[in-house]
Amino acid sequence: MDLNADEQFEQGIQLLNKAYKAKENSLLDEMDALRKLVQKKQDEIHVINQSYSKLQFDYQSLNTTMKTIQDMNQDLQQERDKLATQVKLLTNELSKLKAFKKAIIQSINQDDLIDDITASQLMNNSKILLSTVPNSPPPNTLNLSGNNSYNTTPHYITNKTLDGKEFFKQAKEVLTNRQFNDFLQQIKLLNNQQQSPQQTLENVENILRGEHSQLIDGFKRILLQRQESIKM
């Protein structure tokens, strides 16, 4: 059937409208799908952002914790160094104390040994009689030069007798360290025969400066007893 030009034009317009409508619907569907995809991606991005924020917070927390641990570790190292220094100082002090204790013990033992030897040498292993001698001359006139004809043997002896070690122990208790050391030096000179008993007595009296009369009297008796032992 032949159509005139107007009808053909009208049909062409209708076909174009249908094609446009179909294309429009297709594009709208694509746009709707793209909007949904964009929304989905935005939701995913939001989730990722939340996860990132959480990870960032966790990282900051871990970083803070690590810094705290590092500070604590540094403090512990400093404390350890201080303790090590203190232990070293205490060890040195302990060593010094042990050495000091050893030196004191050796000094005490050496002093006791010197006292024992000196007393033994002075008395020639005999007893020291600290009793009174009624018929002996006055202490200041005792002749200790070795030619004394006066009888120094006591007529009686009290029950108070002391050995050499006890005498020197008493002397050490009442004399100062300097006096006692000078006293020992005089006895050593006497034992080495570098001075007479009389000179020894005079030197001892000077050392004691007139003090400790009982100790001086006892020492005189020691010298007299020593002379008697030598004569025998």
Side-chain angles (χ1 to χ4, degrees), residues 57-101:
F57 176 78
D58 293 341
Y59 170 78
Q60 291 177 350
S61 299
L62 289 174
N63 191 31
T64 303
T65 303
M66 182 172 292
K67 187 176 184 304
T68 302
I69 293 174
Q70 288 176 347
D71 293 339
M72 291 176 61
N73 185 44
Q74 186 176 1
D75 292 340
L76 289 175
Q77 288 179 351
Q78 293 177 351
E79 188 69 22
R80 182 197 62 186
D81 294 338
K82 290 181 180 179
L83 290 175
T85 303
Q86 291 179 355
V87 169
K88 185 177 181 180
L89 292 176
L90 290 175
T91 302
N92 292 335
E93 289 297 326
L94 182 61
S95 299
K96 292 180 181 178
L97 288 175
K98 288 182 178 179
F100 182 66
K101 177 181 177 182

Side-chain angles (χ1 to χ4, degrees), residues 4 7 17 39 55 74 79 105 115 137 144 148 153 207:
N4 55 30
E7 291 177 349
N17 286 333
Q39 184 63 42
L55 289 175
Q74 186 176 1
E79 188 69 22
I105 294 176
D115 294 348
L144 300 174
N148 183 13
T153 303
I207 292 172

Side-chain angles (χ1 to χ4, degrees), residues 81-198:
D81 294 338
K82 290 181 180 179
L83 290 175
T85 303
Q86 291 179 355
V87 169
K88 185 177 181 180
L89 292 176
L90 290 175
T91 302
N92 292 335
E93 289 297 326
L94 182 61
S95 299
K96 292 180 181 178
L97 288 175
K98 288 182 178 179
F100 182 66
K101 177 181 177 182
K102 184 178 180 181
I104 290 178
I105 294 176
Q106 290 178 347
S107 177
I108 293 174
N109 293 336
Q110 185 176 6
D111 289 344
D112 292 341
L113 180 60
I114 291 175
D115 294 348
D116 293 343
I117 293 175
T118 304
S120 177
Q121 290 176 344
L122 180 62
M123 293 307 299
N124 196 18
N125 295 324
S126 64
K127 290 291 183 179
I128 298 175
L129 304 180
L130 298 180
S131 59
T132 305
V133 183
N135 62 341
S136 62
N140 293 332
T141 61
L142 286 175
N143 187 354
L144 300 174
S145 61
N147 56 359
N148 183 13
S149 60
Y150 192 86
N151 182 13
T152 59
T153 303
H155 285 196
Y156 70 92
I157 301 173
T158 64
N159 58 0
K160 184 179 180 181
T161 61
L162 297 174
D163 59 15
K165 184 177 181 179
E166 184 64 24
F167 175 79
F168 280 92
K169 181 179 179 181
Q170 291 180 356
K172 191 173 184 179
E173 289 178 353
V174 298
L175 298 179
T176 64
N177 290 335
R178 182 174 180 179
Q179 287 177 328
F180 186 73
N181 290 333
D182 292 342
F183 178 58
L184 289 180
Q185 182 63 30
Q186 294 302 315
I187 295 175
K188 290 177 182 178
L189 293 174
L190 175 63
N191 290 335
N192 294 333
Q193 299 181 352
Q194 294 178 263
Q195 65 186 20
S196 65
Q198 183 67 38

